[in-house]
Amino acid sequence: MKIGIISVNNAHNFGTTMQAYALKQYLDDQGHEAQIINYRLPSIEKSYWILRRNKPKKQIRPMAGYAAKYLWMIVKRPFALARRRRYENFFAEYFNLTEPFKSVKELRNAKLDFDLIIAGSDQIWNDAIIGNLDPAFFCDFGGPETIRASYAASLGNDTVPEDQHLAFQRFLNGLDFISVRESGAQKSLQALTDKPVDLVLDPTLLVERDVFDRICEPSPYQKDYIYVHVHHHTAKGPELVEAARKLSQQTGLPVVHNIIGAEFENTLGHACGAGPKETLALLAGAKYVITQSFHATVFSIIYGKNFLTLEREKYSERLRNLLEILGLQEHFVRLGEELPDISSLSVDHEDVQKRLKEYRKQSVAFMDKVLHGEKAPRIPNWFQSHDAFTCYGCSACKDICPVGAITMEEDQEGFVQPRIDDAICIHCKKCETNCIYQKKRLETGFDSKAYIAFNLEEENRVNSSSGGMFFALCQPILQKNGFVVGVKYDENFTVTYDIADSVEGCRAFCYSKYVEPQHNDIYRKTKKALETGRPVLFTGAPCKIAGLKNYLGRDYPNLYLVDIICECSSSPMAFRAYLDSKEKQYGGKIAEIRFRDKREGWRNRATSIQMDNGKSEITKQRWNIYYHCFVSGYMAKRSCYQCEFCGDNGVADLTIGDFWGLKNFRKDMKDDEKGVSAVKVGTQKGLHLLDSIRDNLFLEEVRVCDIYDNNHSWPTAINKVRGKILKEIREDPEHVQKIMKQYNPRYNKPKNK
């Protein structure tokens, strides 16, 4: 089996490195082909920089200054360079690394062909270390048949914070097998999923000692010593320093340590430049070990050392768990406690190894389950689970019900879900069998085509969100007295689906709305229009079109389906609160709102709001607080976070959206800042419609993948603040702008002192 391991593999940290090495060796020893996925997370990379470059504006000759600093580093801190070199050499020698990736988007675009991806382990689910809940560490990439598992993942906390519950629910849905390292995390996560959450040992305890003996070299010191290990290469560890001094005085033994700047009366050596193999040798050769590090504690146990582990203010739960399991709790010193005499603390190594062997069994059993198991079934649809992640809110079930037993009711966030009146329901199950969730894409036998495109009629192109393709597609429909379905603002600026049969009516459908539209009985209206025999162009989100197809139940030759490359649908509740706050701010009613105003150019698009009292507001789109919340995934419908229609998975005749990365295809084409569209043709009917307007368009064929390489091709990533921000807006809608600014880093950068 070909297995990929996703971990924090670029951290120059002893424990992080050794757990990845141990997991890979375990899999290799089981006869599998294991690779460490070379995920070089920029936030982790930055934390292990040995030198920082000054920004050019702060230094006249930045490269000269950098070179001077580098020379200073070579002279004054050569251990930092040695440490980095040793870690990178270890990665290259023992990790069987893939090509490097810097983002989950790069991982997804790589289309990795692993049979199994394992996320593990260490603190990959600790957002305080990673910077956010990263989809990569929940295996949110790879092929559709890839099995996904976590092994000994750690939260860094006893429980999942309440505001992260929704994010964990989403990510756990995508895993086939789940295991964690701490008992508190196991209980907390089990409450968020129906899948079993197993408690397993850290990978360094999953394998036998001989796995580490393969790389363990003799200690450079030929006499007894105390090894003092700080958990991070930049940590000072004052508690460790003080404890080590006392222990050295008690035992008379010298100290070897890896604490930068620390001095001891009886220092035998420094280990600040040690890599993984050097640190392992120092632990294996020590008489005593004193540390705050989880993995230094683990290797003290593996190599039968007498040790003391000092409590840290953070992340001590896993240490307590481990030592209690192995009957070594007296070796754990809480903050403020008196340091015991280490020589009086005996370790029954035989008993420890016996306990460890017993606990290892359940970890091995979990790995056997993963290595010989199958993909877990997807969550049942809403009618079986009542899980909001499985309901697109398309309303097909409501409209298809033969007795009207289903209503679509708004939840607290403004999204709709079905409500079934059991007194009326005849249990025909038409609602369930026609639900679009987990319905495979219908094969049309047509090889999709893709184009760079824009409308040659400048007015239509300028008065659109992108390249003016929507209006171009409307024209042949309207010329035949047909109907066009789209999304517009009504008189109260509620976003809704509607149907039009005129140019003026279609103009209301232009411009992106960035909010979940009301259904407005649009499926019934569309069917009625189709029965006239005139052509109907239905434009909308991919899930809405899938719902329409299920509702209609058959193909109509006069129906043309066009879906939009959709990022997500945001909360109507939050949108209404935002509009209300703007009306209060400017003392009038909104007369017009455009989220993609191109008056200053497509790449300099703005959000413009025009009030009925003449006041107006124009802000760069990237600075608009509502838009930022939208693109950050703070307010999306839950099903958007695991959308099945992303990328080349729609069911429409045509797909339209922005074409990003134009310069990579047409270096000779001058960007006129009026917008460029991407068009994908999914059926012969779609090609026929496109051919009918070809003379009005600029079209250049590209590969289908060229559209999605720089566009929205995976579900929106759920952000940890998603539940929190909508709850705050719901409870205090008058301060919606303040709440949105609070979660916008552009408004919350630390001020220069």
Side-chain angles (χ1 to χ4, degrees):
M1 184 182 288
K2 190 174 180 182
I3 303 173
I5 300 169
I6 181 81
S7 187
V8 189
N9 67 280
N10 61 327
H12 297 165
N13 175 280
F14 174 69
T16 304
T17 301
M18 296 312 294
Q19 59 83 24
Y21 166 79
L23 184 56
K24 180 185 179 300
Q25 290 303 312
Y26 177 85
L27 295 169
D28 285 346
D29 290 349
Q30 297 294 312
H32 300 285
E33 180 190 348
Q35 269 189 293
I36 302 288
I37 297 169
N38 194 9
Y39 190 42
R40 303 199 68 97
L41 198 62
S43 60
I44 299 297
E45 199 98 323
K46 187 175 180 180
S47 68
Y48 288 93
W49 280 354
I50 58 174
L51 215 56
R52 297 180 186 274
R53 294 187 183 186
N54 289 336
K55 293 182 179 179
K57 65 180 181 180
K58 294 187 177 181
Q59 189 170 319
I60 298 173
R61 296 178 180 175
M63 292 307 297
Y66 181 78
K69 284 185 177 182
Y70 194 83
L71 289 172
W72 176 88
M73 179 71 71
I74 292 173
V75 174
K76 296 292 185 180
R77 302 185 74 180
F79 62 83
L81 298 172
R83 187 177 187 279
R84 181 174 183 83
R85 183 180 67 252
R86 285 165 174 159
Y87 270 94
E88 291 295 329
N89 288 345
F90 188 91
F91 300 157
E93 184 174 357
Y94 295 104
F95 277 8
N96 188 21
L97 292 166
T98 67
E99 62 180 294
F101 304 99
K102 293 183 179 179
S103 67
V104 68
K105 182 177 180 180
E106 289 186 6
L107 285 169
R108 290 165 174 170
N109 288 341
K111 297 178 175 60
L112 298 169
D113 62 346
F114 293 112
D115 303 306
L116 166 66
I117 298 174
I118 300 178
S121 66
D122 214 14
Q123 300 190 55
I124 54 174
W125 294 351
N126 183 352
D127 67 301
I129 288 179
I130 303 303
N132 202 341
L133 296 177
D134 192 326
F137 294 124
F138 292 86
C139 309
D140 204 12
F141 60 95
E145 301 305 316
T146 302
I147 296 173
R148 295 167 170 83
S150 69
Y151 183 81
S154 177
L155 309 176
N157 297 296
D158 297 352
T159 59
V160 178
E162 185 178 353
D163 61 320
Q164 295 183 21
H165 281 188
L166 199 64
F168 270 98
Q169 285 174 351
R170 154 64 183 97
F171 287 131
L172 295 177
N173 283 349
L175 292 171
D176 301 300
F177 301 95
I178 307 167
S179 69
V180 292
R181 193 168 61 184
E182 290 93 30
S183 59
Q186 180 194 29
K187 294 174 184 175
S188 187
L189 290 172
Q190 191 63 81
L192 301 177
T193 179
D194 291 332
K195 298 174 184 177
V197 179
D198 288 75
L199 183 66
V200 297
L201 292 168
D202 186 87
T204 50
L205 295 168
L206 175 67
V207 297
E208 301 286 351
R209 171 177 161 170
D210 71 288
V211 168
F212 304 108
D213 287 342
R214 299 172 196 172
I215 60 171
C216 187
E217 299 172 351
S219 170
Y221 305 107
Q222 303 305 312
K223 56 190 292 189
D224 288 343
Y225 58 88
I226 301 165
Y227 179 56
V228 185
H229 185 87
V230 75
H231 59 280
H232 190 273
H233 73 291
T234 61
K236 299 301 180 185
E239 304 91 349
L240 279 181
V241 173
E242 184 60 29
R245 283 177 179 149
K246 290 181 180 178
L247 183 58
S248 180
Q249 291 170 2
Q250 288 176 9
T251 61
L253 292 177
V255 172
V256 178
H257 68 93
N258 71 335
I259 307 173
I260 297 173
E263 294 295 337
F264 296 91
E265 291 78 6
N266 190 3
T267 299
L268 180 61
H270 297 271
C272 299
K277 295 170 76 170
E278 292 77 17
T279 302
L280 186 63
L282 290 170
L283 283 160
K287 176 73 173 177
Y288 299 113
V289 176
I290 186 163
T291 186
Q292 289 176 310
S293 160
F294 175 84
H295 284 100
T297 302
V298 164
F299 282 98
S300 298
I301 294 167
I302 290 172
Y303 280 97
K305 302 301 168 183
N306 207 345
F307 67 93
L308 283 177
T309 299
L310 275 60
E311 183 180 31
R312 289 164 59 190
E313 291 184 3
K314 294 182 179 180
Y315 318 134
S316 289
E317 167 73 4
R318 54 185 177 155
L319 280 165
R320 288 197 297 270
N321 280 350
L322 175 65
L323 297 179
E324 286 171 6
I325 284 171
L326 300 179
L328 296 170
Q329 53 267 38
E330 71 273 16
H331 290 258
F332 185 77
V333 183
R334 296 182 182 275
L335 291 173
E337 284 185 349
E338 189 68 28
L339 193 72
D341 181 354
I342 195 170
S343 61
S344 67
L345 295 176
S346 60
V347 178
D348 186 340
H349 297 294
E350 187 176 338
D351 179 66
V352 168
Q353 292 303 316
K354 183 178 178 182
R355 289 178 183 233
L356 186 56
K357 186 176 182 179
E358 192 61 33
Y359 279 99
R360 188 178 285 140
K361 287 180 182 178
Q362 65 190 60
S363 301
V364 170
F366 175 80
M367 287 301 296
D368 286 343
K369 184 168 62 172
V370 171
L371 294 171
H372 301 101
E374 297 180 351
K375 284 190 69 64
R378 293 286 306 275
I379 305 171
N381 66 30
W382 184 91
F383 298 95
Q384 297 170 324
S385 68
H386 284 211
D387 185 331
F389 281 102
T390 69
C391 179
Y392 290 95
C394 70
S395 298
C397 57
K398 167 187 170 293
D399 288 355
I400 211 166
C401 178
V403 295
I406 299 178
T407 55
M408 302 299 289
E409 293 195 347
E410 284 191 6
D411 60 19
Q412 293 178 316
E413 299 167 349
F415 300 113
V416 296
Q417 291 181 47
R419 181 183 177 277
I420 302 173
D421 188 336
D422 292 329
I424 302 175
C425 179
I426 59 174
H427 305 288
C428 65
K429 292 195 178 291
K430 283 190 175 182
C431 56
E432 189 171 337
T433 56
N434 284 281
C435 178
I436 65 173
Y437 180 71
Q438 291 196 52
K439 291 292 189 294
K440 291 185 178 179
R441 178 185 176 186
L442 295 175
E443 293 298 328
T444 63
F446 180 83
D447 291 332
S448 297
K449 298 177 180 294
Y451 299 90
I452 301 169
F454 59 80
N455 196 323
L456 294 175
E457 295 181 18
E458 188 167 315
E459 182 182 354
N460 289 335
R461 186 179 174 199
V462 170
N463 290 305
S464 69
S465 292
S466 191
M469 283 303 302
F470 167 73
F471 238 104
L473 293 168
C474 290
Q475 288 172 349
I477 305 298
L478 295 177
Q479 287 167 4
K480 296 179 181 179
N481 297 316
F483 301 91
V484 175
V485 174
V487 173
K488 71 173 190 177
Y489 295 114
D490 68 11
E491 64 277 7
N492 298 313
F493 279 86
T494 298
V495 178
T496 181
Y497 276 94
D498 205 356
I499 190 164
D501 59 2
S502 67
V503 171
E504 197 56 40
C506 290
R507 289 198 189 281
F509 300 146
C510 290
Y511 292 101
S512 303
K513 309 301 190 296
Y514 298 140
V515 69
E516 176 76 352
Q518 287 188 352
H519 180 59
N520 194 22
D521 204 25
I522 198 61
Y523 291 164
R524 296 185 198 277
K525 292 176 181 177
T526 301
K527 186 175 183 181
K528 186 177 179 180
L530 287 167
E531 288 171 347
T532 67
R534 288 185 274 174
V536 177
L537 180 73
F538 190 106
T539 62
C543 57
K544 199 69 176 181
I545 286 177
L548 174 66
K549 293 188 75 167
N550 282 14
Y551 166 74
L552 294 174
R554 71 177 181 87
D555 184 37
Y556 283 77
N558 56 327
L559 174 63
Y560 298 89
L561 300 173
V562 178
D563 63 10
I564 313 299
I565 297 177
C566 174
E567 187 152 338
C568 64
S569 287
S570 277
S571 161
M573 177 275 296
F575 183 66
R576 184 74 259 167
Y578 176 72
L579 295 187
D580 289 346
S581 73
K582 287 296 179 185
E583 291 184 340
K584 186 176 180 180
Q585 178 181 350
Y586 292 109
K589 293 293 183 181
I590 291 176
E592 181 186 76
I593 180 168
R594 292 186 182 183
F595 280 108
R596 303 188 80 182
D597 192 317
K598 298 191 296 187
R599 276 177 281 190
E600 297 297 323
W602 188 40
R603 298 188 183 280
N604 291 307
R605 19 186 213 287
T607 297
S608 63
I609 301 175
Q610 183 70 43
M611 313 302 294
D612 63 359
N613 58 12
K615 295 181 181 179
S616 63
E617 173 188 284
I618 299 180
T619 56
K620 294 291 186 185
Q621 191 179 61
R622 62 182 178 272
W623 279 93
N624 181 266
I625 52 176
Y626 180 88
Y627 176 78
H628 175 266
C629 289
F630 164 76
V631 296
S632 300
Y634 292 167
M635 309 182 300
K637 185 168 54 179
R638 296 187 192 190
S639 56
C640 294
Y641 297 119
Q642 53 185 44
C643 176
E644 299 164 290
F645 301 99
C646 290
D648 191 19
N649 289 312
V651 292
D653 301 307
L654 292 164
T655 297
I656 58 175
D658 296 306
F659 193 95
W660 300 114
L662 178 65
K663 63 182 180 181
N664 297 327
F665 299 91
R666 287 293 303 268
K667 296 188 185 333
D668 60 321
M669 183 186 292
K670 184 179 179 182
D671 190 348
D672 58 9
E673 290 290 323
K674 293 174 184 173
V676 180
S677 293
V679 176
K680 189 198 79 178
V681 182
T683 66
Q684 188 64 43
K685 187 193 289 187
L687 183 60
H688 174 74
L689 180 60
L690 187 66
D691 283 342
S692 71
I693 57 172
R694 192 175 286 268
D695 291 344
N696 300 327
L697 304 175
F698 169 88
L699 287 175
E700 180 167 317
E701 189 167 0
V702 293
R703 299 172 303 171
V704 172
C705 63
D706 293 333
I707 291 178
Y708 296 106
D709 282 349
N710 293 294
N711 220 317
H712 192 69
S713 55
W714 279 72
T716 292
I718 191 168
N719 193 286
K720 64 180 181 179
V721 306
R722 193 270 184 195
K724 190 174 182 180
I725 190 171
L726 287 181
K727 181 174 183 288
E728 290 180 12
I729 293 171
R730 185 175 69 248
E731 293 176 351
D732 190 11
E734 290 188 4
H735 293 95
V736 59
Q737 294 191 60
K738 181 180 178 182
I739 293 167
M740 289 179 172
K741 279 185 179 180
Q742 179 183 338
Y743 296 102
N744 189 332
R746 293 182 183 276
Y747 289 93
N748 293 290
K749 291 182 179 178
K751 295 180 180 179
N752 294 328
K753 294 183 177 179

